Amino acid sequence: MKILKYALIVLGGLVILIGAVLAYIAATFDPNHYKPQIVQAVKDRTQRTLKLEGNIGLSFWPSIGVKIGRTSLSERASDREFAAVEEVRVALKLMPLLSRQAVVDTVRVKGLRVNLVKAKDGRLNVDDLAGTPGAKEVPATKGAAPEFKVDVAGLDIENATITYTDQAAGTKLTLSKVNLKTGRITPGVPGRVELDLHAQGDKPKLDVQAALKSRLTFNPAQQSVALEDLALEAKGAAADLKDIAFKATGSATVEGAKERAQAQLAGKFADISFKARLGINGFATPAIGFDVEADQIDVDRFLSPAPAGAKPKPAAAGPEQRFDLTGLRALRADGTLKIGSLKAMNVKGSNVRLAVKAAGGRVVLDPVTADFYQGKLASAITVNAAPATPTFAVRHRFNGISIGPLVKDLADSDILEGKGDVAADVTSQGSTVSELKKALAGTAALKLADGALKGIDIAGSIRKAKARLGALRGEQAQAADHGQRTDFSELTATFKIANGVARNNDLDMKSPLLRVAGEGEINIGADSLNYLVRATIVGTTKGQGGRDVDELHGVTVPVRVSGPLASPSYKLDFGKAATDTAKQRVTDELRKRLGGGGAQDSAGKDAAKPGSARDALKGLFGR
């Protein structure tokens, strides 16, 4: 016991002696006298200019600490500022060093500024400070002493700014008002972390304030970090999304050795409730996996709407803005998205389900299914961004949909209604909307029932012309009148599309009064149509508030439909109809007078003989 007593006395004496020596050094040593030597040493070693504008303070007991005032470091071989700081405080407890432990008090950094630049050749302006790229670590020798254990009481970074500039891409990202506070940081021990910042960028436009709170655990041996009780908040604008309000809770893990990260989140984005499972494999060229569920998404809500009552501005002179899909070339993704209700470009769907695969610049959405305008949608969409000019392929199948509300929502046009099936299988290529419309190619088909062609009442127009003129003659043109309609019980048509023009030659529309056939083209690139419809009277208009036109039974009235898709004009060629009617009447009358007006011989055949005058008249009238 006496030995232990003497040992403690000796140890206590050594501690006092060491403390006295360190106190003397602290009282007599002034590191500020060595600023010029420090600046020169940095210049010689890094070719950077170090400015020590503030005081340097040292402490030696009970912690070895340093406090540095205002300091800045330049770019290599340049006077441009690379990094600066208003104040840094670091203190390392002395006694734990004897047991190979580095116990650090809270590290405080105030007013940090860092300017990171990626040059056009891919080099970063920190490469010279990080050492020789690609240098291999020297493996630890056998029997080497164990590494130091690091235990940091906390980290406090106040009002930092980090700027990243990519000269090749012409982009700039700034993280300002960065505040980071942590609890204890040591391997395997959870510690609280709080982070808030303001992110701003130009390509794409970014202006977001974000905050994170979590419980962090890290393991240096496995290069892993785990975030539990994770809470994220963000608000602002990104790209074309305005008024972002994002809140989520969950957990996340990052395994650096395996280059793998995973996250499970649930929360709200604006008024969208969502659940998401995300995974990343490979950090250099990440492969993203996801499974996302959302109750509803209104894409149009996040786009900048025109002010109420404002008139649309005319398109600015100059080339149309091109969209850039080069970002898709490096995308690798595989996942699913489920949305309760979706609205985009004013088109609406519910119970939306889609699978996404992306690799090599090719993005495939297949299948895409939804409840769609009282019917069902089944689609497959492919975008190939690998070529210089991106290509697109779309295959849609609409079953049992209500076409009127769809056309109204999609094109703000009210020219057609009915319920049935629509199919489209088209491809296109281009970097602007106009290019895509003009390069459209493929096929489409339409089959509707119990609907109407809006803007014209064909039978009513014929009846009015007959009542007003007593006979049909000439052409009558009229603009679309959305208060009028031509009802049909069935409408079918198929289209062949090339160079943005959809051509049709088998339009078939049936109604109690009319049989309508037609052919023509829809110029999708020019948003116009040119169609010839032939309407044949097969019923009676008596009892509809007008004069009886049964004498027109069987007569075909040509109707030319042309002009912009949103408001086409209609031209009824009554002159052609009258000519056909007169021809029919003359032919019928001559048949009667020449004995062919229905008289039959005993064998039940027409009494007229071949080569008679009636045959000559038939030839004359082309019958």
Side-chain angles (χ1 to χ4, degrees):
M1 295 297 293
K2 287 184 179 181
I3 296 175
L4 179 59
K5 179 179 178 181
Y6 294 146
L8 290 174
I9 292 173
V10 172
L11 180 59
L14 288 173
V15 170
I16 293 172
L17 178 61
I18 294 172
V21 172
L22 293 176
Y24 174 77
I25 295 174
T28 60
F29 177 74
D30 185 2
N32 293 286
H33 292 318
Y34 297 90
K35 282 184 179 181
Q37 291 90 328
I38 297 172
V39 170
Q40 189 59 47
V42 171
K43 187 75 171 180
D44 294 341
R45 183 175 179 82
T46 67
Q47 299 182 36
R48 293 172 181 258
T49 301
L50 177 67
K51 293 181 180 180
L52 299 170
E53 300 177 27
N55 288 327
I56 302 174
L58 296 177
S59 62
F60 295 93
W61 188 266
S63 300
I64 300 175
V66 60
K67 175 185 175 182
I68 302 175
R70 184 175 299 174
T71 304
S72 66
L73 183 66
S74 76
E75 295 276 6
R76 181 179 177 87
S78 173
D79 292 331
R80 292 192 305 271
E81 181 181 277
F82 163 68
V85 69
E86 294 296 322
E87 183 180 283
V88 177
R89 294 185 182 185
V90 182
L92 180 67
K93 293 186 181 297
L94 183 61
M95 295 306 295
L97 292 173
L98 302 176
S99 58
R100 302 191 65 79
Q101 291 186 10
V103 179
V104 183
D105 287 335
T106 299
V107 178
R108 304 184 187 279
V109 181
K110 183 178 180 181
L112 174 67
R113 300 191 303 273
V114 179
N115 296 305
L116 296 173
V117 178
K118 183 179 180 181
K120 293 183 178 180
D121 59 6
R123 292 182 299 173
L124 292 170
N125 62 342
V126 294
D127 288 344
D128 61 309
L129 298 178
T132 305
K136 295 183 179 179
E137 295 183 1
V138 179
T141 57
K142 233 179 180 182
E147 295 182 356
F148 267 85
K149 294 182 179 179
V150 179
D151 192 338
V152 182
L155 179 62
D156 187 351
I157 298 177
E158 180 183 349
N159 197 26
T161 300
I162 302 171
T163 302
Y164 175 75
T165 303
D166 187 331
Q167 295 180 342
T171 61
K172 184 177 181 179
L173 174 66
T174 301
L175 305 180
S176 61
K177 300 179 182 179
V178 179
N179 295 289
L180 173 64
K181 291 185 178 181
T182 74
R184 185 182 177 193
I185 303 174
T186 190
V189 178
R192 294 299 303 174
V193 58
E194 296 182 8
L195 170 67
D196 59 84
L197 57 85
H198 185 189
Q200 294 173 293
D202 52 0
K203 294 181 181 180
K205 289 290 185 181
L206 180 69
D207 189 358
V208 173
Q209 292 180 324
L212 176 149
K213 294 182 179 180
S214 185
R215 189 161 47 91
L216 181 147
T217 305
F218 73 97
N219 188 331
Q222 298 180 359
Q223 303 177 31
S224 65
V225 175
L227 297 172
E228 300 292 336
D229 300 329
L230 177 64
L232 288 168
E233 290 189 28
K235 60 181 180 179
D240 292 329
L241 301 181
K242 311 296 181 182
D243 301 323
I244 292 175
F246 176 85
K247 287 186 177 182
T249 59
S251 61
T253 59
V254 179
E255 299 174 89
K258 297 181 180 179
E259 294 194 353
R260 183 171 62 190
Q262 293 180 324
Q264 296 81 39
L265 299 172
K268 290 184 75 72
F269 179 78
D271 54 355
I272 304 166
S273 297
F274 70 90
K275 295 179 181 179
R277 291 185 293 275
L278 308 172
I280 297 176
N281 284 305
F283 293 161
T285 56
I288 303 170
F290 62 90
D291 186 0
V292 179
E293 296 183 21
D295 62 342
Q296 57 86 24
I297 297 178
D298 183 352
V299 177
D300 300 340
R301 178 183 182 277
F302 299 103
L303 304 180
S304 298
K311 295 182 180 180
K313 296 181 180 180
E320 184 178 357
Q321 184 176 358
R322 307 180 75 81
F323 46 79
D324 184 5
L325 301 181
T326 55
L328 296 178
R329 294 175 183 174
L331 179 64
R332 294 195 299 155
D334 188 348
T336 59
L337 179 61
K338 301 176 182 178
I339 306 171
S341 63
L342 174 65
K343 177 185 174 186
M345 297 177 65
N346 205 41
V347 176
K348 309 171 187 71
S350 60
N351 295 321
V352 180
R353 302 289 185 269
L354 60 89
V356 180
K357 291 183 182 295
R362 192 167 181 265
V363 181
V364 179
L365 283 66
D366 186 14
V368 179
T369 62
D371 293 336
F372 200 72
Y373 290 87
Q374 304 177 32
K376 297 290 184 181
L377 164 68
S379 297
I381 302 170
T382 301
V383 179
N384 191 352
T389 301
T391 63
F392 302 80
V394 178
R395 187 176 68 251
H396 287 315
R397 296 291 182 271
F398 305 95
N399 294 319
I401 68 166
S402 182
I403 194 71
L406 172 59
V407 173
K408 178 65 177 175
D409 287 348
L410 180 62
D412 193 25
S413 177
D414 190 21
I415 63 172
L416 185 65
E417 72 176 38
K419 193 168 185 179
D421 303 336
V422 180
D425 193 346
V426 296
T427 61
S428 190
Q429 61 181 2
S431 298
T432 67
V433 173
S434 296
E435 289 178 359
L436 292 178
K437 291 167 68 174
K438 292 176 181 178
L440 201 64
T443 60
L446 177 72
K447 183 178 181 180
L448 300 177
D450 301 325
L453 176 65
K454 294 187 174 182
I456 185 172
D457 178 0
I458 297 177
S461 296
I462 297 173
R463 171 176 50 79
K464 290 178 182 178
K466 173 67 175 176
R468 184 171 61 249
L469 302 177
L472 300 178
R473 62 175 67 92
E475 291 184 343
Q476 294 188 14
Q478 63 184 71
D481 180 355
H482 295 296
Q484 296 186 354
R485 54 189 284 151
T486 298
D487 293 324
F488 61 79
S489 57
E490 182 180 329
L491 172 65
T492 61
T494 61
F495 298 86
K496 291 184 178 180
I497 308 169
N499 299 320
V501 178
R503 292 179 172 83
N504 160 260
N505 60 6
D506 62 355
L507 176 69
D508 185 16
M509 188 177 82
K510 299 175 182 177
S511 78
L513 285 175
L514 302 169
R515 292 293 184 268
V516 178
E519 59 185 358
E521 61 185 34
I522 301 173
N523 192 325
I524 300 168
D527 291 320
S528 64
L529 77 164
N530 184 14
Y531 231 83
L532 177 61
V533 175
R534 294 178 296 276
T536 303
I537 306 295
V538 295
T540 177
T541 60
K542 190 173 183 179
Q544 297 185 27
R547 294 176 58 186
D548 187 5
V549 291
D550 283 344
E551 62 268 26
L552 295 178
H553 186 280
V555 174
T556 298
V557 179
V559 182
R560 175 68 66 178
V561 186
S562 61
L565 285 173
S567 57
S569 63
Y570 300 87
K571 181 181 291 185
L572 285 75
D573 191 350
F574 290 126
K576 179 108 170 39
T579 299
D580 290 345
T581 303
K583 182 189 295 186
Q584 182 65 48
R585 287 178 177 175
V586 169
T587 302
D588 291 343
E589 184 64 24
L590 287 173
R591 282 178 176 175
K592 291 179 182 178
R593 296 190 178 190
L594 293 174
Q600 295 178 335
D601 59 16
S602 59
K605 297 181 180 179
D606 196 334
K609 296 181 180 180
S612 66
R614 186 189 63 174
D615 290 333
L617 288 172
K618 286 177 64 177
L620 175 64
F621 288 105
R623 304 292 293 177

